[in-house]
Amino acid sequence: MKASAKTQIIGQSNATQFLRELIKTLAASSSTALVTGESGTGKELVAQALHAQGPRAGGPFVPINCGAIPRELIESELFGHRKGTFTGAVSDRLGRFELAHGGTLFLDEIGDLPMDMQVKLLRVLQERCILPVGASREVPVDVRVVAATHKNLEEEVAAGRFREDLYYRINVLPISTSPLRERPEDISALLQFYADKHVLPGARSLKFSPEMLQMLKAYSWPGNVRELSNLVDRFSTLYPSQLLQVQTVPACMMPMGLAVLQAEWLAQQGLTAATFPSSLGDAPGVQQVVPAVQAEQSRGPFFDENDPMALLLTESVGSFVPPVKICSPAPLSASNDEINDVEQAILLAQGIQTLPPEGMSLKQHLVEVERSLIEQALARTQGNVSQTAKLLQLQRTTLIEKINKYELRGAA
């Protein structure tokens, strides 16, 4: 069965083409599949494509996020319960396994499943029967299970957090999704796809200049395709029907890493980035955006909420903001090339470093900032690497690489 637009895997990189072919091959099977990859790389999309292209396409596709369900409710969510089993159980309730009967059950973030539930899930996968909470008789189920996780389950097994027998039970058909930074060839197609998807009513799809496209390809995309989709949604709202140039977007409307690339490009070209809100003019939809951003500015610098270091930067007074011009409520007559007295006073009051007249090494400054923030986070968590990774919104392996790079020390 041909993939629908909803389950289409976008891109022409070797990794994406291989993934499409692999899905096509594995879809015909009813064996359990394990999809691994970083957050935002489309693991659920892969599961949906497996379902849509297989013989169970006519049945239900039932997803559940194992990490989002409270521990005391996960068994009832998966297997259902009988009336009167516990307080609030006013009627029988079907679990996700029964709801997915004849179709596919997608167990997202299976690495977060509690150990006691791992044992019960293992039995269900072996016996193909479930026992609802409070029931005395097992119920047979015909379900294809597709599991997914951003964690390295082999490391979780070694650490004793995931059962080895369950790992081998679910890892029958392994599928890996590549991060976007490893397949920049796909970025053009993804940008166009989401520009068409997020176009405003009555507007034309957003377009990207060659220079903007080159900059977007050079960005590392820590949030992967999910981050790209959100960013195109933002640009489509702020600049409907426009051809987006590098200098069009204020740095404050981009993730930090992209803002740094913009600053480098503008410096090479001798250009200045637009400021907010004067650059937006009277574009449709902007009137609703400006007050919200100005309200955010009144509390301090405006950052992208998905940027890994944004939260810590706003919390650490006097640390650093990258040397690109931030959003400021300056009057429209203010020069783009100089920070006026009002802006300077605001920046000093917030403890923000400004670019000195003689300039600075941007790359070295960012290295120092990253090291400082990691040190602060490690101190806050008393050296616990896992907690530090959550605090900085980084993959644990990425954080360990940075700790080793900067010769820092952290607990396991």
Side-chain angles (χ1 to χ4, degrees):
M1 181 178 293
K2 187 177 180 180
S4 65
K6 184 178 179 181
T7 60
Q8 187 178 3
I9 309 294
I10 305 296
Q12 292 300 322
S13 66
N14 290 336
T16 300
Q17 292 186 55
F18 175 79
L19 179 62
R20 280 197 293 263
E21 289 301 315
L22 183 61
I23 290 172
K24 183 178 179 181
T25 300
L26 302 185
S29 172
S30 288
S31 298
T32 304
L34 176 61
V35 187
T36 57
E38 296 180 9
S39 296
T41 52
K43 295 187 290 296
E44 183 168 357
L45 181 63
V46 170
Q48 291 173 339
L50 284 171
H51 173 75
Q53 296 181 42
R56 296 173 177 266
F61 177 86
V62 179
I64 180 172
N65 189 316
C66 299
I69 307 298
R71 185 186 186 94
E72 61 274 10
L73 298 179
I74 187 68
E75 183 174 5
S76 174
E77 284 291 325
L78 287 174
F79 309 136
H81 62 253
R82 294 293 180 255
K83 178 180 178 180
T85 303
F86 50 83
T87 303
V90 296
S91 63
D92 290 354
R93 185 179 187 276
L94 297 180
R96 302 299 175 95
F97 269 92
E98 286 187 89
L99 291 174
H101 185 77
T104 301
L105 177 65
F106 177 54
L107 298 176
D108 197 11
E109 298 302 344
I110 195 171
D112 294 331
L113 200 64
M115 289 292 285
D116 58 334
M117 284 306 304
Q118 292 180 29
V119 177
K120 295 178 180 180
L121 177 60
L122 176 63
R123 176 172 174 76
V124 170
L125 294 179
Q126 290 172 338
E127 304 299 332
R128 296 294 167 175
C129 289
I130 62 167
L131 182 64
V133 180
S136 57
R137 182 176 300 177
E138 291 186 330
V139 178
V141 288
D142 174 23
V143 173
R144 182 185 191 177
V145 172
V146 178
T149 181
H150 72 279
K151 295 182 177 181
N152 185 321
L153 290 187
E154 291 184 352
E155 292 181 358
E156 294 297 298
V157 169
R161 292 187 293 266
F162 199 85
R163 290 183 61 92
E164 185 176 19
D165 47 5
L166 178 59
Y167 170 64
Y168 290 120
R169 174 61 65 177
I170 62 176
N171 193 31
V172 180
L173 301 176
I175 304 174
S176 178
T177 56
S178 302
L180 194 52
R181 63 182 175 275
E182 294 181 2
R183 44 189 181 96
E185 321 82 295
D186 291 342
I187 289 177
S188 296
L190 287 166
L191 288 170
Q192 188 59 56
F193 174 82
Y194 286 109
D196 294 339
K197 178 180 178 180
H198 297 306
V199 64
L200 295 178
R204 299 186 305 276
S205 297
L206 185 71
K207 301 296 181 183
F208 301 87
S209 70
E211 296 79 14
M212 187 68 175
L213 186 58
Q214 182 179 5
M215 188 178 76
L216 291 170
K217 288 182 177 180
Y219 179 49
S220 62
W221 296 105
N224 292 297
V225 180
R226 182 181 296 119
E227 181 186 13
L228 183 146
S229 173
N230 291 342
L231 194 63
V232 174
D233 190 2
R234 181 188 309 169
F235 289 163
S236 297
T237 302
L238 295 173
Y239 309 101
S241 305
Q242 293 191 30
L243 175 67
L244 206 61
Q245 307 279 353
V246 175
Q247 64 270 30
T248 301
V249 187
C252 58
M253 299 308 294
M254 295 188 290
M256 182 183 298
L258 199 55
V260 170
L261 292 175
Q262 181 198 45
E264 293 175 349
W265 187 88
L266 291 173
Q268 293 172 359
Q269 303 298 319
L271 299 175
T272 303
T275 54
F276 186 82
S278 59
S279 63
L280 299 177
D282 298 322
V286 172
Q287 291 80 2
Q288 289 74 33
V289 176
V290 172
V293 175
Q294 289 178 329
E296 184 68 27
Q297 290 171 346
S298 68
R299 297 192 291 271
F302 181 77
F303 293 104
D304 176 68
E305 63 181 2
N306 292 320
D307 193 285
M309 294 200 295
L311 179 59
L312 284 177
L313 282 169
T314 55
E315 290 181 347
S316 59
V317 177
S319 56
F320 174 77
V321 169
V324 291
K325 190 160 186 176
I326 65 169
C327 294
S328 65
L332 301 186
S333 60
S335 169
N336 289 342
D337 300 321
E338 298 180 0
I339 298 179
N340 62 30
D341 293 340
V342 175
E343 289 175 317
Q344 183 70 34
I346 293 174
L347 294 174
L348 290 175
Q350 294 173 337
I352 298 172
Q353 180 175 342
T354 58
L355 181 67
E358 67 277 11
M360 66 171 66
S361 171
L362 176 61
K363 291 184 178 179
Q364 181 59 34
H365 215 48
L366 291 176
V367 166
E368 293 171 0
V369 172
E370 185 175 60
R371 178 191 174 101
S372 174
L373 290 172
I374 293 174
E375 285 180 328
Q376 292 178 49
L378 284 169
R380 185 179 300 183
T381 62
Q382 298 181 336
N384 187 296
V385 174
S386 296
Q387 293 181 16
T388 302
K390 291 181 179 179
L391 189 63
L392 293 175
Q393 300 180 29
L394 291 173
Q395 295 288 337
R396 189 175 185 274
T397 52
T398 301
L399 176 60
I400 291 174
E401 290 176 0
K402 293 181 182 295
I403 289 175
N404 293 333
K405 174 183 175 182
Y406 297 130
E407 298 182 350
L408 303 174
R409 292 293 178 266

